Amino acid sequence: MATRTTGAPEQVEQARELVEMSWDPITRIIGNLGIYTKIDFKNREVVECKSTSSLFRGYSVFMKGKDPRDAHFITSRICGICGDNHAVCSIYAQNMAYGVKPPPLAEWIINLGEAAEYMFDHTLFQDNLVFVDYCEQMVKETNPGLLRTAETTEAPNAGIHGYRTIADIMRAFNPFSGELYRQALQVSRITREMCCLMEGRHVHPSTLYPGGVGTVATPQVFTDYLSRLLNVLDFVKKAVPMNDDIFEFFYAALPGYEEVGRRRVMLGCWGSFQDPDAVDYQYKNMNDWGRKMFVTPGIVLDGELRTTNLVDINLGMRILLGSSYYEDWQSEETFVSHDPLGNPVDQRHPWNQTTLPKPQKRELDGGNYSWVMSPRWFDSRTGDHLALDTGGGPLARLWSTALAGLVDTGTVRATGHSVEINLPKSREFGEMQLEWQIPRWANTIERNRARAYFVAYAAAMAVHFVEQAMGEVRAGRTKVFSDFDVPDEAIGCGFHEAVRGVLSHHMVIRDGKIANYHPYPPTPWNASPRDMYGTPGPYEDAVQGLPIFEENGPDNFRGIDIMRTVRSFDPCLPCGVHMYLGGGKVLKQVHSPTFGTGVSG
Amino acid sequence: MTKKPSSLRIGRRDTRPDSPSHVKGVKEGNATGNYEKMDGHLPDGRSTAGRSTGINPRKHDPIDPDMPNLSPA
């Protein structure tokens, strides 16, 4: 709910009448995100925006001293919706540290589980949470004129999805009662089952380990997965054209809507779905096997692909402070001075970060105001610290994959300017080809549209992965894990895509225990506050300068355009900061250490 | 574990941060050489019914040696 924090409008030097409006917490997301804005209602524009998080968790603090083999089980608990992404990313980092390469079948099983996760999470978020902002009830409250237009606008793809007008689509979005809303809940159940078949459990996998998986690869496991996938394909084939219809309608009915949530194209994607033929988890070969991933890692800058090299991506990472509740770690220990290729590693790189929390009062005017730090990517060509965003995940993934033009599995082909997605025949529909074209803008609508296409991408990839996995099983190659020993000293890094964007885990092992561990999920990138150079984070940047299309005035302002923009990034604050300082009463304390911990180790 | 300086007031810890870590000398399931010791897992990555049952496993292998040996879970 919007809160108006100042009674009288504030006068600034340009004689603009600014009204402070805040939404804290923003609902329909996980965690405590607050958006504080100054709005010029006369000129219908958001003038200033600050994004804050009041949630601190401390993973990088309490991971120290743990057994590195527990890392994926512990870090999976960072998130209650994409925990398996964290587990997988941690496993990638551990594989590098232990020098182990899992058998091919294990990689296909992890890819299948992650594909199911993308389908599950994107469907749940898009259809049950994002579309509430585009549903009949909401549009009636915020833009009644737009709803009247929607009632008389035919949906171009009605022949596929069955909704005659745009307003019919909006009615299907209505929470709890809308047809699509309820169908999406069913789909998210089926896709969760698919994830469980491969990873044992959702959302904290029980059968994924460094070195492989514990999933017993029987033909039945894969046919159970495939039969569910074919049901999901029917839903996907309807959903993508319907998403196109609703978003094209917004562009047409509200001229200028492309400016909502628009920011410079600065997208980061860390790659997803390993290719077992290429990946050996060795840092020195990371550029080669990174480029073979089935979602190409890359940094897209102003529409051009800046790099696809994971080593460059890794070395460019900088964790800045500026508006966050932490003390600087510049004078703390340097854990990794050079990477295994001999390149220097910055003190602000996650490998060398020491988290020193400093709780304090929130000061939105020139002070510190968030528990989120400010991750940036250092562009060595320009010397800029770029506030990359993930485009909610899919926008960056599709953009980077499309431009790189490396992926070609038959079911998915990157063309250099688009991504072709070929979906096989399913129960209701024949074969269908979908093509995601690189959009003209990185804005709210395109972030949301890409999400629908990425569900199709993950489904098409899953078809390929099932075929590959079945090929291994039919050849009798059922090995799913490789042995390894935990070294006394090692470093590792894992790069993956959480559902809502870039995910990296950086680990330093000393004396067989974790000496330093830093997970960097997508939301620290997206929700970051102003850094030491004054650069705003992506939410702030996307909302500042946002034109207001809502028909309500200041008195009953819902802030729908701002909400649509923030939600288009798929915000997930438990990702954002990783303390509980309350003096609670301990009712019962049970400590069950690993066998033999009484003996000094 | 070295203690990092911080202005943050925190309580006394009642367990060492590395308590749940591995204790030297305890067997590890992931250790190299374990794969070879397990029944039913062949060196070339294939497996036999021995990985699923210890009761007459050979009787559960496929009747045609050219068939893939896919033991149940």
Side-chain angles (χ1 to χ4, degrees):
Chain A
M1 194 182 145
T3 318
R4 207 167 142 150
T5 48
T6 47
E10 186 184 328
Q11 298 289 330
V12 293
E13 54 270 23
Q14 301 98 329
R16 293 182 82 165
E17 280 187 17
L18 300 184
V19 180
E20 288 188 10
M21 304 278 290
S22 63
W23 293 262
D24 192 358
I26 284 192
T27 55
R28 270 182 277 135
I29 65 159
I30 301 173
N32 296 46
L33 173 70
I35 294 288
Y36 290 77
T37 62
K38 289 180 182 168
I39 300 177
D40 179 351
F41 278 99
K42 202 179 277 175
N43 294 306
R44 307 197 64 75
E45 187 187 356
V46 181
V47 176
E48 191 185 296
C49 171
K50 290 195 171 170
S51 103
T52 88
S53 169
S54 51
L55 186 72
F56 176 82
R57 307 187 69 208
Y59 273 78
S60 54
V61 178
F62 63 70
M63 288 298 286
K64 291 186 179 188
K66 301 279 185 285
D67 190 315
R69 286 165 298 186
D70 288 340
H72 58 290
F73 288 121
I74 301 173
T75 53
S76 135
R77 271 70 185 176
I78 287 172
C79 186
I81 190 156
C82 68
D84 54 296
N85 296 144
H86 282 280
V88 168
C89 192
S90 176
I91 286 166
Y92 289 166
Q94 290 182 64
N95 287 344
M96 184 182 285
Y98 309 152
V100 62
K101 174 179 162 46
L105 187 53
E107 295 289 1
W108 296 125
I109 287 174
I110 291 181
N111 287 355
L112 283 165
E114 293 304 275
E117 166 67 27
Y118 293 128
M119 287 185 264
F120 153 72
D121 196 339
H122 282 325
T123 302
L124 183 75
F125 186 69
Q126 184 87 336
D127 300 319
N128 299 118
L129 300 169
V130 166
F131 280 159
V132 175
D133 287 337
Y134 297 83
C135 77
E136 182 207 20
Q137 285 298 326
M138 184 65 83
V139 175
K140 195 191 284 176
E141 288 177 31
T142 60
N143 297 70
L146 183 69
L147 185 61
R148 282 193 294 277
T149 315
E151 292 285 5
T152 55
T153 307
E154 302 273 329
N157 290 308
I160 302 171
H161 53 66
Y163 299 108
R164 193 178 63 79
T165 66
I166 300 296
D168 288 340
I169 298 178
M170 289 178 172
R171 270 187 281 281
F173 292 164
N174 280 342
F176 306 108
S177 59
E179 189 185 11
L180 184 86
Y181 184 96
R182 285 179 289 130
Q183 268 177 10
L185 289 175
Q186 292 292 338
V187 169
S188 54
R189 171 189 162 159
I190 296 168
T191 42
R192 263 187 140 164
E193 288 171 359
M194 289 160 70
C195 190
C196 293
L197 283 165
M198 293 299 142
E199 303 189 351
R201 206 162 52 142
H202 186 271
V203 58
H204 306 302
S206 53
T207 62
L208 302 189
Y209 320 111
V213 299
T215 311
V216 183
T218 61
Q220 189 179 343
V221 152
F222 298 109
T223 48
D224 282 355
Y225 185 97
L226 190 56
S227 62
R228 286 170 174 78
L229 178 60
L230 290 175
N231 281 331
V232 175
L233 286 180
D234 278 338
F235 178 82
V236 174
K237 285 172 181 172
K238 278 196 256 185
V240 174
M242 192 182 59
N243 274 265
D244 277 335
D245 284 355
I246 190 90
F247 295 132
E248 289 303 328
F249 168 76
F250 267 76
Y251 281 146
L254 296 173
Y257 210 79
E258 66 274 5
E259 292 303 320
V260 171
R262 185 179 172 192
R263 77 185 294 252
R264 183 181 166 198
V265 182
M266 281 191 287
L267 297 164
C269 165
W270 294 173
S272 184
F273 302 135
Q274 301 287 2
D275 179 353
D277 292 338
V279 66
D280 62 5
Y281 293 103
Q282 290 191 39
Y283 186 90
K284 64 182 169 69
N285 303 326
M286 192 159 71
N287 179 25
D288 299 326
W289 52 261
R291 286 165 59 86
K292 292 280 172 57
M293 287 163 104
F294 293 107
V295 169
T296 314
I299 289 171
V300 181
L301 201 56
D302 301 321
E304 302 289 324
L305 200 54
R306 169 72 179 75
T307 182
T308 54
N309 186 343
L310 274 180
V311 175
D312 287 346
I313 289 175
N314 178 43
L315 293 171
M317 287 177 72
R318 301 282 186 275
I319 311 302
L320 304 185
L321 297 175
S323 309
S324 319
Y325 307 140
Y326 299 91
E327 286 175 24
D328 199 4
W329 61 86
Q330 203 64 29
S331 55
E332 297 294 320
E333 185 177 357
T334 303
F335 291 90
V336 183
S337 62
H338 290 80
D339 73 353
L341 290 165
N343 302 306
V345 178
D346 196 86
Q347 184 68 5
R348 298 211 164 274
H349 186 276
W351 264 331
N352 291 327
Q353 181 184 335
T354 301
T355 306
L356 302 169
K358 191 182 179 189
Q360 54 198 273
K361 184 175 177 293
R362 180 164 65 194
E363 186 57 71
L364 282 162
D365 284 322
N368 294 335
Y369 59 91
S370 184
W371 276 114
V372 180
M373 293 188 190
S374 302
R376 299 288 184 258
W377 192 76
F378 179 68
D379 188 346
S380 54
R381 286 185 194 166
T382 58
D384 292 338
H385 288 81
L386 302 173
L388 300 180
D389 72 87
T390 70
L395 187 65
R397 288 199 280 272
L398 291 170
W399 208 316
S400 169
T401 304
L403 284 177
L406 296 169
V407 174
D408 186 2
T409 62
T411 54
V412 174
R413 193 170 77 89
T415 65
H417 57 85
S418 69
V419 177
E420 284 174 11
I421 303 163
N422 299 298
L423 299 173
K425 187 174 179 298
S426 52
R427 195 183 298 164
E428 287 179 39
F429 294 95
E431 288 180 12
M432 188 184 278
Q433 189 184 66
L434 302 167
E435 188 173 13
W436 179 86
Q437 302 273 1
I438 292 177
R440 290 163 63 195
W441 312 285
N443 63 11
T444 302
I445 294 277
E446 295 306 334
R447 283 178 210 114
N448 287 338
R449 189 206 304 263
R451 194 174 296 113
Y453 276 86
F454 197 80
V455 176
Y457 187 105
M461 273 298 172
V463 173
H464 174 69
F465 297 153
V466 166
E467 283 168 3
Q468 299 300 312
M470 286 295 276
E472 289 293 310
V473 172
R474 287 192 193 107
R477 292 189 289 268
T478 52
K479 187 179 178 187
V480 287
F481 57 91
S482 304
D483 295 343
F484 62 89
D485 294 308
V486 180
D488 281 344
E489 312 274 319
I491 58 170
C493 58
F495 287 94
H496 188 37
E497 281 283 304
V499 177
R500 42 211 44 80
V502 299
L503 176 59
S504 59
H505 281 220
H506 286 81
M507 179 166 75
V508 179
I509 301 174
R510 282 185 188 168
D511 197 20
K513 298 166 191 169
I514 293 173
N516 208 4
Y517 199 103
H518 287 277
Y520 266 93
T523 303
W525 290 88
N526 291 333
S528 59
R530 279 157 174 74
D531 61 27
M532 56 208 264
Y533 303 109
T535 311
Y539 291 172
E540 302 178 332
D541 187 23
V543 173
Q544 275 177 188
L546 178 144
I548 291 168
F549 284 84
E550 185 176 339
E551 294 169 25
N552 297 329
D555 296 332
N556 52 352
F557 188 62
R558 300 284 300 256
I560 186 68
D561 304 307
I562 299 170
M563 295 298 103
R564 281 178 186 146
T565 297
V566 173
R567 291 199 184 102
S568 73
F569 286 98
D570 200 345
C572 182
L573 260 290
C575 274
V577 239
H578 303 273
M579 188 162 18
Y580 176 60
L581 290 172
K585 185 181 170 193
V586 177
L587 296 175
K588 189 179 178 189
Q589 188 171 0
V590 181
H591 180 54
S592 40
T594 310
F595 167 69
T597 44
V599 188
S600 76
Chain B
M1 299 298 297
T2 52
K3 194 176 176 301
K4 295 289 170 200
S6 169
S7 57
L8 198 63
R9 278 196 315 129
I10 52 172
R12 270 163 65 100
R13 68 184 189 199
D14 47 22
T15 182
R16 282 172 32 217
D18 59 352
S19 292
S21 60
H22 177 68
V23 178
K24 282 176 183 163
V26 177
K27 265 172 74 88
E28 297 169 88
N30 56 271
T32 46
N34 280 351
Y35 181 82
E36 289 74 13
K37 289 181 199 159
M38 288 194 304
D39 287 338
H41 293 265
L42 305 176
D44 62 1
R46 292 177 302 123
S47 56
T48 67
R51 74 168 183 171
S52 302
T53 178
I55 303 167
N56 293 330
R58 277 185 209 148
K59 281 192 167 179
H60 297 279
D61 283 336
I63 50 173
D64 180 349
D66 287 341
M67 288 166 70
N69 197 332
L70 301 173
S71 61

